[in-house]
Amino acid sequence: MGYELEAVIAGDELLRSASRGVPGASVVPLRQGLSLMPMTDEVFDAVTDGSAEGALGFWKLPAGFERLLAQWSLAGPVAYVEAEYFGGVGEQRAAVWADGALEAGPLDAPAKTWFSHTVSPISQALRQLGVKRSLGEDEFDAVGLDRCRNNDDWISSSTS
């Protein structure tokens, strides 16, 4: 079974306020006071500036959207994350904006921390957003990103 995610993650209040003017935006609550906004085609079209440049090497980060994320980050840290897995093989990418500037990333490789524990790019970004993990779980699981398998599932979960 596959897993696919392209989304903005930030504090719930920040993301709800910032995304109000974005047509098609759905904000889905996560744990630890965070929420995510899936990058749907409608959101993509609403926030792109139309330039052809590939933004930071992401698959679905609209051109010019990083400037809006930087602006949103004046109210608190904001992450853009992407993941694609099938049969346990795949990749992740993440970036974090804070205080109006890119703070971390793009992160595209796991990092080693204490005791050689590997931390995925999305977990690294979530740490920057203040996520705390419990013994036996990573930040990805701690906020509940394992709850849905793709953006359509996330959007459905926000309306149920």
Side-chain angles (χ1 to χ4, degrees), residues 44 48-58 61-67:
F44 184 98
T48 189
D49 69 4
S51 65
E53 69 183 62
L56 303 174
F58 286 93
L61 179 65
F65 188 45
E66 68 275 9
R67 288 187 291 278

Side-chain angles (χ1 to χ4, degrees), residues 61-135:
L61 179 65
F65 188 45
E66 68 275 9
R67 288 187 291 278
L68 186 56
L69 293 173
Q71 182 182 359
W72 290 359
S73 78
L74 292 170
V78 177
Y80 180 78
V81 302
E82 293 183 341
E84 185 173 26
Y85 286 91
F86 189 82
V89 177
E91 55 188 298
Q92 292 184 9
R93 194 170 191 80
V96 178
W97 287 260
D99 299 319
L102 182 63
E103 180 175 277
L107 306 165
D108 58 8
K112 298 282 187 177
T113 59
W114 290 90
F115 307 111
S116 297
H117 175 72
T118 302
V119 182
S120 74
I122 292 177
S123 286
Q124 291 174 60
L126 291 170
R127 279 187 183 179
Q128 299 269 334
L129 299 182
V131 171
K132 304 292 185 217
R133 64 183 180 89
S134 298
L135 189 61

Side-chain angles (χ1 to χ4, degrees), residues 1-2 4 9 15 17 35 37 39 41 45 51 53 58-59 61-62 64 67 80 84 102 105 118 120 123 135 147 153:
M1 178 173 267
E4 186 177 330
I9 300 176
L15 194 54
S17 174
S35 286
M37 179 184 77
M39 181 55 65
D41 291 339
D45 291 343
S51 65
E53 69 183 62
F58 286 93
W59 308 305
L61 179 65
R67 288 187 291 278
Y80 180 78
E84 185 173 26
L102 182 63
T118 302
S120 74
S123 286
L135 189 61
R147 221 172 59 214
D153 290 349

Side-chain angles (χ1 to χ4, degrees), residues 3 27-32 34-36 140-150 153-158 160:
Y3 182 92
V27 176
V28 184
L30 298 171
R31 295 185 202 121
Q32 299 193 30
L34 297 178
S35 286
L36 70 78
F140 189 97
D141 294 329
V143 298
L145 286 176
D146 56 340
R147 221 172 59 214
C148 295
R149 307 297 300 172
N150 57 50
D153 290 349
W154 284 109
I155 292 167
S156 294
S157 78
S158 73
S160 55

